[in-house]
Amino acid sequence: MPDGTLIHAPLDCCDEEPGLLPVAEARARLLRGAVPVAGDDILAPAAAPGRVLAAAPRSARSLPPFNQSAMDGYALHAADLVAGAAPRILRRIAAGEAAGPAIGPGEAVRVLTGAPVPPGAAAVVMEEHVALRGDHVEPRRVPRPGGNIRRLGEDLAAGDVLLAPGTRLDARHLALLAAADVGQVAVRRPVRVALLSNGDELGAAIRDSNRPMLAALLARPEVAVTDLGILPDYPAALAAALAGAAGNHDLILASGGVSGSDADHLPGALRAAGGAVEVLRLAQKPGKPLAHGRLGDALCLFLPGNPLAALVGFLTLGRPLLARLSGAAEEAGPAPLAAMAARGFARKPGREEFLPARIAGHDTSGLPLVEPSGPFGSARLVPLAAADGLLWVPAGTEQVRAGDALRFHPFAASFGLA
């Protein structure tokens, strides 16, 4: 985008009206100029859940760190891995104890799960598969060589790469880092986001619901939010606020002021502040109007003012943009669930649609049966609060019938609202 320009999406074919941009193309435009933020934090893994790796950590030790018994049993020498053997039991080794001296033919050691196996041991026979005769053990089932022994370094060797840059650290990764004795990790610094709502109507009569909703969606370890509050419909004041926020933020996220009326000033204010802006009309329902751009080093994303439209716009476009800025690998987000329509309903074709929906049950194979959770409306919050997720309907669909295959984005799994 050339600096200071106001660009409208080119005309496209669409069933409902011309000029609507497919969401995938809009997402590509937003991501085209986005790069991961510069700067790392060095943290202990315990302080880094949710953060995005900037560099690949390497293991400080091998796993397992020694030859280890996989279960309770008896460590045997190779000479005793034959039918009729009855080696003498020398001692017992529990987890955390030393392996002790090597064993030879005719000798066995009682080992517990996780204990080191002594040198000279070729296999461990499970305790369920032996008969005890005084201080001798008779295997009733002879193990194969190497059986029931976890070998030194079979999981990973010291110096191995553990995780790739771009990994968002979660409980699995913290377990691996702890086991591998990694004391510090390099993670991307948090993405600095300036959040605001725009509109003179927001105040005593109409409460601002978008800012609290978006703030909750931004409440993640890899994001640092500055709340700029509600800005009125004064172009000069908007331009000054945008210019001030651009100097120390990576992203300016706003809702309202983009629908195209004479009271919608955010795109013009961004241009007046010296930024570049592109106004889009999306083939998406709700959330058709949207604008994005850049002011200095800060990217800007301006969402619609209606709550459901702002939510859908953030989830389909804002979240991938934040993932790119944070350096995370999972820009596309989790895949939707396969689902079936619990009942039929009609709709106006032309734009792909996200409907608040609830799970009404499951079919015999376990697929969720979903249905709209209330009357549709991009300003309605009650159906959204009653929903289990968002039901995606393709642009060309005019009639959904009971039993039709659908895609369902559960809030907890797909959009991280829980």
Side-chain angles (χ1 to χ4, degrees), residues 73-88:
Y74 295 84
L76 305 179
H77 188 273
D80 297 307
L81 301 182
V82 294
R88 182 169 62 89

Side-chain angles (χ1 to χ4, degrees), residues 201-280:
E201 72 278 12
L202 300 175
I206 299 176
R207 298 298 187 187
D208 180 13
S209 58
N210 285 357
R211 219 167 79 258
M213 176 180 69
L214 293 171
L217 288 167
L218 292 169
R220 302 173 62 96
E222 76 274 24
V223 179
V225 178
T226 302
D227 187 352
L228 301 185
I230 300 171
L231 300 185
D233 291 321
Y234 298 116
L238 283 172
L242 293 175
N248 55 2
H249 291 89
D250 307 298
L251 175 66
I252 301 172
L253 180 66
S255 66
V258 294
S259 294
S261 75
D262 57 5
D264 294 321
H265 301 297
L266 265 177
L270 180 55
R271 181 174 55 179
V277 63
E278 182 177 35
V279 178
L280 306 177

